[in-house]
Amino acid sequence: MTQDELASLSFAELRDRLQARAETLGHTEDVDLMEVMRYLTTLEDHAHTPDSVDALFHLSRNFFLAAQPAQTNQVASLASQRAIALEQKQLLCKARGMEAMSLCDLGKFAESAAAFADLWMLARTLGDTQREVLAIKNVGGLYIAMAQWDVAIAYFTRSCELAAEHGHHHLELSSRVNVANCHLQLGDPTSGLRALLPLPPDAPKTKAEAATHASVHITLGHLYLLTDELTSARTHAHESGHWARLAGYKRTLKLHKALLGLIDIKSGALESGFAAVERGLAFAKRSDRHDVPDYLSMCVDACEAAGQSDRALGYLQELVTWKKKLIDAEPPLYEGLTESWQSQTGAAVFDDNLLIRAQVLQAGVRQRIQRFVETAINAEIASGHDLYRTFRVAKLSRHLATAIGWDEERIAPLAMGGQLCNIGMMAIPARILQKPRGLSDSERHVLHTHTQYGAELLRKSRVRMLDVASMIAEQHHEHHDGSGYPRGLRGESIAEEARIVAVCDAFDAMTHRRPWRPTPLSIQAALNELKQGAGTQFDPRLVEAFVNLIRREFWEHADFDSFLAEGADEFEYVRARARMQAFIAEGR
């Protein structure tokens, strides 16, 4: 449609066409989304009405379904702004949700979490249970994007319960699919099948419902593959194709065909099977980068099922490389970025223009460091730790350095390094992070690369304060006796900063729950473990100082963890996640 043709429509008519394009089964009328975007985004502010804002929302939905997150975010953000200006809270709720989902797809997880927290609170205020269910479900989707499967299950389970309570049957089913997919990723097909079965008798009436039914059968097909029930897997694969074709979403169709490929491989038809899975991977690389890890995982599964371990390792390494790309895709900082702005003589610069530039650069540094902290938090959670681990390790490192006589100038970059030491875990596939026992040699090799990747990521920041953090990220798994990785350094050849963080990182890991260790060690038991590792894994002088520090200063704290995590709520991301955790707790 041309701009003149668009202008001839009322906003309500345009909204209805966009809604039909996104929702109606068998809908054939096409609408040029970019033309509509140009039309709606160039309207004067005063020309907008509730119907035009609703049209923007449905336009953003169409972009989202077409796997175009940048356009989705641009349109949804404008819809949010116009809804606020018109005091349309229901429309704001819808637009803010689409904005949050697009931020997740763009890899902006902290901003997405804050948007979802806003949406959740707004839905509650309005008493809109359907939007609240959507908010909770999409928070689960955010955690899936960060490979935090156990956390995601908690949110999907709550959205499923709330949807069932209020009769939102489609949302209940889609939440069950998501729970099952998390169990699929965790290699637990029994729990996955329990989440999905029995299936509801209602037939889909919209594209979204048809796509959900396709996802149900795709997931069931995968689950049955894990239990070697090929007949059941094939039945559900063909059923998924029926609903995927009705929905018409390319992404769902490609997932259906990839499932058929996995079934072919399991059945011995290797050539056709690999071709189907690799076509899905190629499609994801072209259209939706956040699906690429899922397809690479399928390729690993396919190779393992075919007994091609070398080829599986190749895909596993490609998965690591792809995850690195997602993290590296941050906007570059200004060239020559520094933490302070001084003249060559060392005197402060008072020229107004230079002062303004200095402030901009410093703000850029703070923002970049905040992004790194958020990434490190996600890396720890994906590894089975909790939201506050990075803050505890940083504070323990700070106190240990103080105890051995360091000054603040040296302690500040050390503490930052303690907080970021495991940031490289974000590049490690979930299939390895969720399998801490019985790793193969190749999987262990991939896991060990997190130290080098973390160091590389921080070095590329060009922020001087992170030079120490980069070194700590690389060396904190080196052992005092030379048995560590990645370079087998020993004794004094390991930087003292890395030796300090190694002790604090190990202590915190031992004293907290992990998925495979539900009961953490007591403080005394963890100290005993450190003493046993003194001289082999750890610097004995630092172990002695750490044990004395804990016994001298920290036994008195009734809530040791809260003390160590003080200051964490200065981060908006932490506040948003804590708010959502509180919402979940209130609902139970």
Side-chain angles (χ1 to χ4, degrees), residues 104 109 139-153 156 181-182 185-186 290 293-294 297 319 323 326-327 375 377-385 425-435 515 573 577:
C104 177
F109 299 136
V139 169
L142 171 65
Y143 293 135
I144 279 184
M146 296 185 287
Q148 297 171 18
W149 311 108
D150 291 313
V151 182
I153 287 172
F156 290 135
N181 272 317
C182 289
Q185 292 293 335
L186 292 170
H290 290 286
D294 290 338
S297 292
L319 181 54
K323 293 192 75 174
L326 294 184
I327 303 167
T375 300
I377 291 171
N378 287 328
E380 295 287 12
I381 295 173
S383 302
H385 292 288
M425 283 292 189
M426 275 302 285
I428 305 304
R431 62 191 303 123
I432 292 178
L433 293 179
Q434 298 294 338
K435 183 187 170 186
Y573 182 43
R577 289 192 68 141

Side-chain angles (χ1 to χ4, degrees), residues 236-283:
H236 286 288
H238 286 297
E239 188 73 10
S240 73
H242 167 70
W243 295 115
R245 284 186 290 274
L246 274 177
Y249 300 158
K250 288 183 179 179
R251 178 180 180 274
T252 309
L253 284 164
K254 291 294 182 182
L255 284 169
H256 153 70
K257 290 177 180 177
L259 172 59
L260 290 176
L262 286 177
I263 292 171
D264 280 350
I265 290 168
K266 278 277 193 178
S267 304
L270 301 187
E271 186 175 347
S272 61
F274 276 115
V277 175
E278 288 171 349
R279 278 196 297 270
L281 174 60
F283 169 77

Side-chain angles (χ1 to χ4, degrees), residues 313-330:
L313 177 59
Y315 279 118
L316 199 57
Q317 289 171 333
E318 186 179 350
L319 181 54
V320 172
T321 301
W322 189 267
K323 293 192 75 174
K324 288 180 184 179
K325 286 180 181 178
L326 294 184
I327 303 167
D328 287 344
E330 294 283 350

